[in-house]
């Protein structure tokens, strides 16, 4: 069945450092791929998405590219801020929209 | 404002005492789901609904019930809660069609003692 694997956390970085959170998926066909972010005490919110191979999703300085050949959707940001501290989830879904499959989440902490 | 509203945010209850967590969305979305979030396991789907009166099991449905009598509401029912249902619960809605990203409620932290 479909699955998502993302790097284990926690990840701790200094402010202005470069961020990469790895995500790979297993699925047949062409699912849509997402990154969701969960700030402390809140629900998940969509950070960015990509719906087909080679698409790049971007938002708030974060980027991720849908790589069909490596089945990956790594999250990157060039210069992180303290306000980026949160838990990040990689996810995939199919066109039926009945189910979203999540990775286990990566907790990111940014030091001032 | 488009939103998914869950209540209550926090709940402590005793084993065996029936409880209901409510979920409501104001976006006229077709799909609604319940997830539980546990450390190291990410989010796992409990139940989902594709429309009014249409529900189906997700990955971890044991011990839970749902209903979808109105499009906007999707309550989660625990008939006889047990300590292993202590978790953080999220309701989500999806528009459907080509739009598959989900909108989430703020979560309900449930403790069963």
């Amino acid at each position: 069945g479909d699955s998502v694997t993302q790097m284990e956390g926690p990840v701790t970085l200094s402010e202005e450092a470069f961020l990469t959170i790895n995500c790979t998926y297993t699925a047949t066909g062409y699912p849509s791929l997402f990154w969701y972010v969960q700030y402390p005490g809140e629900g998940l919110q969509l950070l960015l998405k990509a719906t087909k191979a080679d698409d790049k999703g971007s938002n708030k300085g974060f980027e991720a590219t849908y790589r069909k050949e490596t089945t990956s959707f790594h999250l990157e940001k060039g210069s992180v801020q303290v306000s980026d501290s949160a838990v990040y989830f990689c996810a995939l879904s199919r066109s039926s929209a009945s189910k979203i499959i999540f990775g286990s989440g990566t907790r990111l902490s940014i030091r001032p | 404002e488009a939103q998914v509203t869950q209540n209550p945010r926090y709940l402590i209850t005793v084993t065996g005492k029936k409880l209901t967590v409510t979920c409501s969305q104001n976006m006229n979305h077709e799909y609604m789901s319940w997830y539980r979030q546990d450390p190291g396991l990410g989010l796992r789907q409990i139940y989902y609904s594709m429309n009014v009166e249409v529900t189906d099991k997700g990955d971890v449905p044991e011990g839970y019930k749902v209903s979808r009598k109105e499009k906007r509401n999707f309550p989660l029912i625990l008939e006889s809660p047990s300590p292993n249902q202590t978790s953080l619960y999220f309701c989500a809605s999806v528009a459907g069609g080509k739009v598959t990203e989900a909108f989430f409620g703020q979560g309900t932290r449930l403790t069963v003692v």
Side-chain angles (χ1 to χ4, degrees):
Chain A
D2 297 346
S3 66
V4 174
T5 302
Q6 61 183 104
M7 63 187 287
E8 295 281 332
V11 174
T12 304
L13 297 172
S14 297
E15 205 165 21
E16 299 184 3
F18 184 85
L19 168 71
T20 300
I21 300 178
N22 290 336
C23 171
T24 57
Y25 67 91
T26 300
T28 55
Y30 297 89
S32 294
L33 301 176
F34 308 90
W35 278 99
Y36 286 87
V37 59
Q38 183 181 28
Y39 297 105
E42 298 184 11
L44 281 72
Q45 47 187 278
L46 180 67
L47 180 60
L48 54 83
K49 69 175 182 178
T51 57
K52 60 183 187 293
D54 300 324
D55 264 3
K56 177 186 282 188
S58 61
N59 186 25
K60 300 182 180 179
F62 290 89
E63 294 182 339
T65 301
Y66 190 143
R67 302 283 188 202
K68 181 69 175 172
E69 63 276 13
T70 55
T71 62
S72 65
F73 193 56
H74 304 320
L75 182 68
E76 296 182 337
K77 186 174 185 181
S79 177
V80 293
Q81 306 300 313
V82 172
S83 57
D84 294 326
S85 298
V87 181
Y88 292 80
F89 291 91
C90 186
L92 69 81
S93 76
R94 299 206 172 267
S95 58
S96 69
S98 63
K99 184 170 186 173
I100 301 173
I101 296 171
F102 291 90
S104 57
T106 301
R107 183 175 299 278
L108 174 66
S109 297
I110 308 300
R111 298 187 293 252
Chain B
E1 180 189 352
Q3 59 185 4
V4 178
T5 303
Q6 288 179 234
N7 281 296
R9 292 288 309 277
Y10 302 92
L11 180 60
I12 301 175
T13 190
V14 296
T15 299
K17 185 176 181 182
K18 182 180 178 179
L19 66 91
T20 299
V21 184
T22 63
C23 174
S24 180
Q25 51 97 0
N26 64 0
M27 296 167 280
N28 201 38
H29 283 176
E30 300 286 330
Y31 293 88
M32 297 184 75
S33 293
W34 277 102
Y35 294 85
R36 61 179 287 173
Q37 182 181 8
D38 300 291
L41 297 176
L43 278 79
R44 294 178 292 168
Q45 192 182 52
I46 302 170
Y47 268 95
Y48 65 93
S49 169
M50 291 170 282
N51 213 324
V52 174
E53 303 291 3
V54 182
T55 63
D56 206 349
K57 297 177 181 178
D59 297 317
V60 287
E62 294 78 19
Y64 304 95
K65 285 176 56 178
V66 293
S67 68
R68 187 102 181 265
K69 293 183 169 54
E70 305 165 283
K71 197 171 187 178
R72 62 183 291 124
N73 295 324
F74 191 47
L76 179 70
I77 302 157
L78 284 71
E79 294 269 4
S80 183
S82 62
N84 65 10
Q85 293 179 296
T86 293
S87 187
L88 180 58
Y89 291 86
F90 289 100
C91 179
S93 71
V94 179
K98 293 185 178 180
V99 179
T100 57
E101 58 261 39
F103 289 78
F104 284 83
Q106 289 198 296
T108 296
R109 185 165 292 284
L110 172 66
T111 302
V112 183
V113 298

